[in-house]
Amino acid sequence: MTPNQTKALAALLTCKSRTDAARVCGLSTKTLQGYEKLPEFADALERGRREALAADTVDALQAIVRDDAAADPARVAAARALLDYGLKFAELTDINKRLDRLEGML
């Protein structure tokens, strides 16, 4: 990605609207829309959005686990969800590494 695309990606991931993102990164909304049509940029944007959502979810679950005032069943459920998420993340990471290696062989 170009430096402008990298700035645009960061702005789109942190701003609430495309208009705000355009202002922050100093590019037009039309340019941002064009970037979003590029496969590499669109994939990076989607990954970033998924990672942000996952991070917010993990933060919320960790807050429940650490909250001594929370009911025990809620804390156990949050801990179980964190464990499940961690295991699935490890599995997906392993699968993605294997896939990358296989694609590299082709």
Side-chain angles (χ1 to χ4, degrees):
M1 277 196 286
T2 68
N4 276 348
Q5 289 173 339
T6 301
K7 287 192 303 188
L9 180 62
L12 286 166
L13 290 172
T14 57
C15 294
K16 294 184 181 203
S17 70
R18 187 180 290 125
T19 303
D20 289 343
R23 190 172 4 85
V24 166
C25 70
L27 300 168
S28 71
T29 56
K30 188 174 181 177
T31 298
L32 295 184
Q33 287 173 324
Y35 287 166
E36 290 178 41
K37 293 177 184 175
L38 300 172
E40 180 185 8
F41 188 91
D43 289 346
L45 183 59
E46 182 61 28
R47 271 193 318 274
R49 287 179 174 155
R50 273 189 260 129
E51 289 170 6
L53 175 62
D56 289 346
T57 302
V58 168
D59 289 346
L61 290 170
Q62 286 176 335
I64 295 168
V65 169
R66 293 181 181 135
D67 183 1
D68 292 332
D72 287 343
R75 293 176 70 195
V76 169
R80 182 175 290 128
L82 284 169
L83 181 60
D84 288 344
Y85 176 75
L87 291 173
K88 286 177 185 175
F89 179 78
E91 290 171 2
L92 287 174
T93 301
D94 183 52
I95 290 169
N96 283 332
K97 284 180 184 177
R98 290 178 182 184
L99 184 59
D100 287 344
R101 274 187 264 142
L102 287 172
E103 288 176 341
M105 292 177 179
L106 297 177

